[in-house]
Amino acid sequence: MTAQPAAPATFEAIVGQIRDLGYKYIQEKDFISAQLAFKKLLELDGKDINGRFVLAQLIDDGSHKKRAEARDMMLAILEEHPEIFGNPSEGNLHLIRSAAVRCSHVGPFAKAIELFRKLAHASNLAGDYFQLSEILTQGSFFEESIASLQKAMELDPANFDTPTNRETLDIARSRLSAPAPKTEKEKKKIGRYPETEVFLGDFQKLVKDHIAVNLKSEDRFINKSTKFFTMGSCFARNLSRSLVTNGYVSHHMEISEYINTTFANRVFVDWLSDRDIDDAIRERIVSLLPGGWSKENTLQVLRNSDVFILTLGVAPAFFDRVTGDFVLPRPTALNSRVLAEKYVFRTTSVRENVENVTYLLDFIRKISPGIKVVVTVSPVPLVASFEHESAVQADCLSKSTMRLVAHEVVNHSNISNILYWPSFEVFRWAGSHAGSYYAADDGAAWHVSEEKVAGTISAFIEMFSAA
């Protein structure tokens, strides 16, 4: 008898062989080959739920990108098959748990909370309740978080009824039983870093609810009769211009970007106070005054202003190599480069700048005792550095210094009626998540977007407007 040819393998048989091969590779820890096998499996049968889940786990190499890719694959399965939540088999619970864990790692946290809630109630396992307790803190569900931790301890006391968890539970319960805070400022709040969709969403909501959120309880001190005086760099000029556009009276004292330091602010105060200062510095101040400005009308505008906005610029400044005295150079790039050889150009300290700003504000308050002080940090970068080869690193050091100065002055200098407005954070932090904060108008990387400046001022006005 002649041998009969083997019957062609059925589709189901081929799929089964590929699946078996994929599991064999997993047992052998050959995960690359396993991925290829399950990808081939899904090419043949894209609806294979188990194959999709296995591949999602295989591609998760721990990196954010691959973890997010695995998360999306798992969430797609759950969205297409909602019946999984009603059938708490071991495999289904494993899928829900895996998706929840990945959401807790790379977001969205709201989805992680939703999945862990469903998982814990379906599995009734201590570990799932413990994870639920942890992720609930991301959504500030404090009471539910406590209850979930307690549930985990009751279900598995050997692993979860620990001294640390008992202490946590005791402290949490005492906080719940404590009298409710009488004011907003007494409440202990937890700040959460916004998710990407928040940064890319409504700009005003981002500023008010995630960046300047701590200022919501501040007094509303702005109305249409409020007069502003801004001082500092070109960013302060943009602020003043935007205020005028919004119908407010605002005067701006221009200080060149090259010398926008608190040391320049200090000698300017000395000039206004008729103190004995170096003749060269006096001449430079007079030459830097905007057209039509004088000592007398500067003092008059300050006396008539209701809000003084001080924009802190840069930390580096020029100093005499012999005496160590501050030097006020001419505001041109060439002269600054030449003077960098003649003088010391260094990044000044937080303490030096705090002393200078305090000195300035003490003078402002003598001129106008009831004036509201708003401190900001200019987001405009340091265009050049004669101290560091990388202007980017120099700018980071400079802005970090000035942000600390603002914090110290506003929070630890015993100055009343003062606040910090986070325009710097709006541009540097929100701007790192979106592409329209710098160079939007002219392509220059060091120029801030006029639209975003206007939006920042709109948020400022809306937050503090009494009318």
PDB file of all heavy atoms in Angstrom, residues 30-52:
ATOM      1  N   ASP A  30      12.602  32.672  26.655  1.00  0.00           N
ATOM      2  CA  ASP A  30      12.959  33.302  25.379  1.00  0.00           C
ATOM      3  C   ASP A  30      11.818  34.237  25.007  1.00  0.00           C
ATOM      4  O   ASP A  30      10.982  33.935  24.144  1.00  0.00           O
ATOM      5  CB  ASP A  30      13.177  32.236  24.305  1.00  0.00           C
ATOM      6  CG  ASP A  30      13.652  32.826  22.980  1.00  0.00           C
ATOM      7  OD1 ASP A  30      13.740  34.075  22.897  1.00  0.00           O
ATOM      8  OD2 ASP A  30      13.902  32.056  22.041  1.00  0.00           O
ATOM      9  N   PHE A  31      11.793  35.417  25.652  1.00  0.00           N
ATOM     10  CA  PHE A  31      10.637  36.300  25.543  1.00  0.00           C
ATOM     11  C   PHE A  31      10.553  36.999  24.183  1.00  0.00           C
ATOM     12  O   PHE A  31       9.459  37.362  23.749  1.00  0.00           O
ATOM     13  CB  PHE A  31      10.663  37.326  26.672  1.00  0.00           C
ATOM     14  CG  PHE A  31      10.604  36.685  28.040  1.00  0.00           C
ATOM     15  CD1 PHE A  31      11.632  36.853  28.956  1.00  0.00           C
ATOM     16  CD2 PHE A  31       9.529  35.893  28.404  1.00  0.00           C
ATOM     17  CE1 PHE A  31      11.592  36.271  30.200  1.00  0.00           C
ATOM     18  CE2 PHE A  31       9.466  35.298  29.654  1.00  0.00           C
ATOM     19  CZ  PHE A  31      10.508  35.474  30.545  1.00  0.00           C
ATOM     20  N   ILE A  32      11.677  37.190  23.522  1.00  0.00           N
ATOM     21  CA  ILE A  32      11.648  37.787  22.191  1.00  0.00           C
ATOM     22  C   ILE A  32      10.922  36.857  21.216  1.00  0.00           C
ATOM     23  O   ILE A  32      10.036  37.279  20.458  1.00  0.00           O
ATOM     24  CB  ILE A  32      13.074  38.079  21.680  1.00  0.00           C
ATOM     25  CG1 ILE A  32      13.788  39.053  22.624  1.00  0.00           C
ATOM     26  CG2 ILE A  32      13.016  38.647  20.268  1.00  0.00           C
ATOM     27  CD1 ILE A  32      13.116  40.394  22.739  1.00  0.00           C
ATOM     28  N   SER A  33      11.298  35.582  21.251  1.00  0.00           N
ATOM     29  CA  SER A  33      10.642  34.613  20.371  1.00  0.00           C
ATOM     30  C   SER A  33       9.171  34.445  20.751  1.00  0.00           C
ATOM     31  O   SER A  33       8.305  34.269  19.884  1.00  0.00           O
ATOM     32  CB  SER A  33      11.358  33.260  20.448  1.00  0.00           C
ATOM     33  OG  SER A  33      12.696  33.368  19.965  1.00  0.00           O
ATOM     34  N   ALA A  34       8.893  34.521  22.051  1.00  0.00           N
ATOM     35  CA  ALA A  34       7.501  34.413  22.507  1.00  0.00           C
ATOM     36  C   ALA A  34       6.662  35.573  21.953  1.00  0.00           C
ATOM     37  O   ALA A  34       5.524  35.373  21.519  1.00  0.00           O
ATOM     38  CB  ALA A  34       7.444  34.397  24.032  1.00  0.00           C
ATOM     39  N   GLN A  35       7.230  36.779  21.967  1.00  0.00           N
ATOM     40  CA  GLN A  35       6.517  37.923  21.404  1.00  0.00           C
ATOM     41  C   GLN A  35       6.194  37.701  19.931  1.00  0.00           C
ATOM     42  O   GLN A  35       5.069  37.964  19.479  1.00  0.00           O
ATOM     43  CB  GLN A  35       7.370  39.193  21.533  1.00  0.00           C
ATOM     44  CG  GLN A  35       7.386  39.813  22.918  1.00  0.00           C
ATOM     45  CD  GLN A  35       8.062  41.173  22.908  1.00  0.00           C
ATOM     46  OE1 GLN A  35       7.785  42.013  22.053  1.00  0.00           O
ATOM     47  NE2 GLN A  35       8.956  41.389  23.863  1.00  0.00           N
ATOM     48  N   LEU A  36       7.190  37.210  19.191  1.00  0.00           N
ATOM     49  CA  LEU A  36       6.984  36.974  17.764  1.00  0.00           C
ATOM     50  C   LEU A  36       5.883  35.945  17.531  1.00  0.00           C
ATOM     51  O   LEU A  36       5.058  36.091  16.618  1.00  0.00           O
ATOM     52  CB  LEU A  36       8.297  36.514  17.119  1.00  0.00           C
ATOM     53  CG  LEU A  36       9.421  37.565  17.084  1.00  0.00           C
ATOM     54  CD1 LEU A  36      10.705  36.938  16.555  1.00  0.00           C
ATOM     55  CD2 LEU A  36       9.016  38.758  16.230  1.00  0.00           C
ATOM     56  N   ALA A  37       5.880  34.908  18.373  1.00  0.00           N
ATOM     57  CA  ALA A  37       4.865  33.866  18.222  1.00  0.00           C
ATOM     58  C   ALA A  37       3.463  34.409  18.477  1.00  0.00           C
ATOM     59  O   ALA A  37       2.522  34.147  17.702  1.00  0.00           O
ATOM     60  CB  ALA A  37       5.180  32.712  19.172  1.00  0.00           C
ATOM     61  N   PHE A  38       3.307  35.202  19.548  1.00  0.00           N
ATOM     62  CA  PHE A  38       1.972  35.712  19.865  1.00  0.00           C
ATOM     63  C   PHE A  38       1.540  36.830  18.911  1.00  0.00           C
ATOM     64  O   PHE A  38       0.351  37.006  18.657  1.00  0.00           O
ATOM     65  CB  PHE A  38       1.920  36.164  21.323  1.00  0.00           C
ATOM     66  CG  PHE A  38       1.673  35.030  22.277  1.00  0.00           C
ATOM     67  CD1 PHE A  38       2.725  34.414  22.929  1.00  0.00           C
ATOM     68  CD2 PHE A  38       0.390  34.550  22.481  1.00  0.00           C
ATOM     69  CE1 PHE A  38       2.510  33.352  23.790  1.00  0.00           C
ATOM     70  CE2 PHE A  38       0.147  33.488  23.335  1.00  0.00           C
ATOM     71  CZ  PHE A  38       1.222  32.873  23.990  1.00  0.00           C
ATOM     72  N   LYS A  39       2.506  37.562  18.357  1.00  0.00           N
ATOM     73  CA  LYS A  39       2.149  38.535  17.324  1.00  0.00           C
ATOM     74  C   LYS A  39       1.609  37.822  16.092  1.00  0.00           C
ATOM     75  O   LYS A  39       0.634  38.256  15.469  1.00  0.00           O
ATOM     76  CB  LYS A  39       3.367  39.384  16.958  1.00  0.00           C
ATOM     77  CG  LYS A  39       3.724  40.445  17.992  1.00  0.00           C
ATOM     78  CD  LYS A  39       4.947  41.240  17.575  1.00  0.00           C
ATOM     79  CE  LYS A  39       5.290  42.296  18.627  1.00  0.00           C
ATOM     80  NZ  LYS A  39       6.509  43.049  18.257  1.00  0.00           N
ATOM     81  N   LYS A  40       2.257  36.695  15.729  1.00  0.00           N
ATOM     82  CA  LYS A  40       1.789  35.906  14.593  1.00  0.00           C
ATOM     83  C   LYS A  40       0.409  35.329  14.881  1.00  0.00           C
ATOM     84  O   LYS A  40      -0.477  35.312  14.002  1.00  0.00           O
ATOM     85  CB  LYS A  40       2.789  34.780  14.307  1.00  0.00           C
ATOM     86  CG  LYS A  40       2.437  33.955  13.074  1.00  0.00           C
ATOM     87  CD  LYS A  40       2.468  34.813  11.818  1.00  0.00           C
ATOM     88  CE  LYS A  40       2.150  34.008  10.582  1.00  0.00           C
ATOM     89  NZ  LYS A  40       2.118  34.847   9.356  1.00  0.00           N
ATOM     90  N   LEU A  41       0.225  34.897  16.118  1.00  0.00           N
ATOM     91  CA  LEU A  41      -1.069  34.357  16.522  1.00  0.00           C
ATOM     92  C   LEU A  41      -2.176  35.391  16.324  1.00  0.00           C
ATOM     93  O   LEU A  41      -3.245  35.088  15.797  1.00  0.00           O
ATOM     94  CB  LEU A  41      -1.005  33.917  17.985  1.00  0.00           C
ATOM     95  CG  LEU A  41      -2.326  33.501  18.641  1.00  0.00           C
ATOM     96  CD1 LEU A  41      -2.853  32.218  18.015  1.00  0.00           C
ATOM     97  CD2 LEU A  41      -2.145  33.316  20.137  1.00  0.00           C
ATOM     98  N   LEU A  42      -1.888  36.631  16.714  1.00  0.00           N
ATOM     99  CA  LEU A  42      -2.901  37.679  16.617  1.00  0.00           C
ATOM    100  C   LEU A  42      -3.107  38.156  15.186  1.00  0.00           C
ATOM    101  O   LEU A  42      -4.161  38.703  14.864  1.00  0.00           O
ATOM    102  CB  LEU A  42      -2.531  38.850  17.532  1.00  0.00           C
ATOM    103  CG  LEU A  42      -2.557  38.526  19.034  1.00  0.00           C
ATOM    104  CD1 LEU A  42      -2.137  39.724  19.857  1.00  0.00           C
ATOM    105  CD2 LEU A  42      -3.941  38.056  19.459  1.00  0.00           C
ATOM    106  N   GLU A  43      -2.109  37.969  14.344  1.00  0.00           N
ATOM    107  CA  GLU A  43      -2.310  38.249  12.921  1.00  0.00           C
ATOM    108  C   GLU A  43      -3.366  37.302  12.338  1.00  0.00           C
ATOM    109  O   GLU A  43      -4.156  37.676  11.475  1.00  0.00           O
ATOM    110  CB  GLU A  43      -0.992  38.096  12.160  1.00  0.00           C
ATOM    111  CG  GLU A  43       0.015  39.216  12.423  1.00  0.00           C
ATOM    112  CD  GLU A  43       1.323  38.972  11.690  1.00  0.00           C
ATOM    113  OE1 GLU A  43       1.379  38.027  10.866  1.00  0.00           O
ATOM    114  OE2 GLU A  43       2.290  39.717  11.946  1.00  0.00           O
ATOM    115  N   LEU A  44      -3.356  36.081  12.844  1.00  0.00           N
ATOM    116  CA  LEU A  44      -4.309  35.083  12.374  1.00  0.00           C
ATOM    117  C   LEU A  44      -5.661  35.214  13.062  1.00  0.00           C
ATOM    118  O   LEU A  44      -6.707  34.979  12.453  1.00  0.00           O
ATOM    119  CB  LEU A  44      -3.746  33.669  12.602  1.00  0.00           C
ATOM    120  CG  LEU A  44      -2.456  33.332  11.830  1.00  0.00           C
ATOM    121  CD1 LEU A  44      -1.910  31.990  12.284  1.00  0.00           C
ATOM    122  CD2 LEU A  44      -2.719  33.336  10.328  1.00  0.00           C
ATOM    123  N   ASP A  45      -5.619  35.563  14.335  1.00  0.00           N
ATOM    124  CA  ASP A  45      -6.862  35.663  15.103  1.00  0.00           C
ATOM    125  C   ASP A  45      -6.765  36.853  16.061  1.00  0.00           C
ATOM    126  O   ASP A  45      -6.376  36.711  17.221  1.00  0.00           O
ATOM    127  CB  ASP A  45      -7.100  34.368  15.880  1.00  0.00           C
ATOM    128  CG  ASP A  45      -8.445  34.383  16.633  1.00  0.00           C
ATOM    129  OD1 ASP A  45      -9.228  35.338  16.431  1.00  0.00           O
ATOM    130  OD2 ASP A  45      -8.698  33.450  17.411  1.00  0.00           O
ATOM    131  N   GLY A  46      -7.101  38.020  15.546  1.00  0.00           N
ATOM    132  CA  GLY A  46      -6.975  39.247  16.337  1.00  0.00           C
ATOM    133  C   GLY A  46      -7.941  39.339  17.493  1.00  0.00           C
ATOM    134  O   GLY A  46      -7.800  40.212  18.345  1.00  0.00           O
ATOM    135  N   LYS A  47      -8.931  38.435  17.554  1.00  0.00           N
ATOM    136  CA  LYS A  47      -9.913  38.487  18.632  1.00  0.00           C
ATOM    137  C   LYS A  47      -9.565  37.567  19.797  1.00  0.00           C
ATOM    138  O   LYS A  47     -10.350  37.451  20.750  1.00  0.00           O
ATOM    139  CB  LYS A  47     -11.292  38.123  18.088  1.00  0.00           C
ATOM    140  CG  LYS A  47     -11.819  39.131  17.071  1.00  0.00           C
ATOM    141  CD  LYS A  47     -13.227  38.763  16.608  1.00  0.00           C
ATOM    142  CE  LYS A  47     -13.768  39.788  15.625  1.00  0.00           C
ATOM    143  NZ  LYS A  47     -15.148  39.457  15.163  1.00  0.00           N
ATOM    144  N   ASP A  48      -8.421  36.922  19.723  1.00  0.00           N
ATOM    145  CA  ASP A  48      -8.008  35.989  20.783  1.00  0.00           C
ATOM    146  C   ASP A  48      -7.680  36.794  22.031  1.00  0.00           C
ATOM    147  O   ASP A  48      -6.604  37.404  22.147  1.00  0.00           O
ATOM    148  CB  ASP A  48      -6.794  35.191  20.319  1.00  0.00           C
ATOM    149  CG  ASP A  48      -6.410  34.080  21.282  1.00  0.00           C
ATOM    150  OD1 ASP A  48      -6.473  34.309  22.504  1.00  0.00           O
ATOM    151  OD2 ASP A  48      -6.045  32.991  20.809  1.00  0.00           O
ATOM    152  N   ILE A  49      -8.589  36.820  23.001  1.00  0.00           N
ATOM    153  CA  ILE A  49      -8.422  37.630  24.206  1.00  0.00           C
ATOM    154  C   ILE A  49      -7.180  37.210  24.989  1.00  0.00           C
ATOM    155  O   ILE A  49      -6.369  38.039  25.400  1.00  0.00           O
ATOM    156  CB  ILE A  49      -9.669  37.532  25.105  1.00  0.00           C
ATOM    157  CG1 ILE A  49     -10.872  38.132  24.398  1.00  0.00           C
ATOM    158  CG2 ILE A  49      -9.423  38.241  26.434  1.00  0.00           C
ATOM    159  CD1 ILE A  49     -12.163  38.001  25.185  1.00  0.00           C
ATOM    160  N   ASN A  50      -7.022  35.911  25.182  1.00  0.00           N
ATOM    161  CA  ASN A  50      -5.901  35.429  25.960  1.00  0.00           C
ATOM    162  C   ASN A  50      -4.573  35.761  25.280  1.00  0.00           C
ATOM    163  O   ASN A  50      -3.602  36.161  25.926  1.00  0.00           O
ATOM    164  CB  ASN A  50      -6.012  33.921  26.180  1.00  0.00           C
ATOM    165  CG  ASN A  50      -5.024  33.427  27.215  1.00  0.00           C
ATOM    166  OD1 ASN A  50      -5.078  33.823  28.373  1.00  0.00           O
ATOM    167  ND2 ASN A  50      -4.108  32.569  26.799  1.00  0.00           N
ATOM    168  N   GLY A  51      -4.530  35.609  23.938  1.00  0.00           N
ATOM    169  CA  GLY A  51      -3.316  35.924  23.205  1.00  0.00           C
ATOM    170  C   GLY A  51      -2.971  37.401  23.313  1.00  0.00           C
ATOM    171  O   GLY A  51      -1.795  37.769  23.454  1.00  0.00           O
ATOM    172  N   ARG A  52      -3.975  38.253  23.253  1.00  0.00           N
ATOM    173  CA  ARG A  52      -3.739  39.696  23.383  1.00  0.00           C
ATOM    174  C   ARG A  52      -3.202  40.046  24.765  1.00  0.00           C
ATOM    175  O   ARG A  52      -2.292  40.872  24.908  1.00  0.00           O
ATOM    176  CB  ARG A  52      -5.040  40.455  23.111  1.00  0.00           C
ATOM    177  CG  ARG A  52      -5.496  40.380  21.662  1.00  0.00           C
ATOM    178  CD  ARG A  52      -6.937  40.819  21.510  1.00  0.00           C
ATOM    179  NE  ARG A  52      -7.115  42.248  21.803  1.00  0.00           N
ATOM    180  CZ  ARG A  52      -8.297  42.847  21.863  1.00  0.00           C
ATOM    181  NH1 ARG A  52      -9.421  42.123  21.701  1.00  0.00           N
ATOM    182  NH2 ARG A  52      -8.391  44.128  22.107  1.00  0.00           N
TER     183      ARG A  52
END
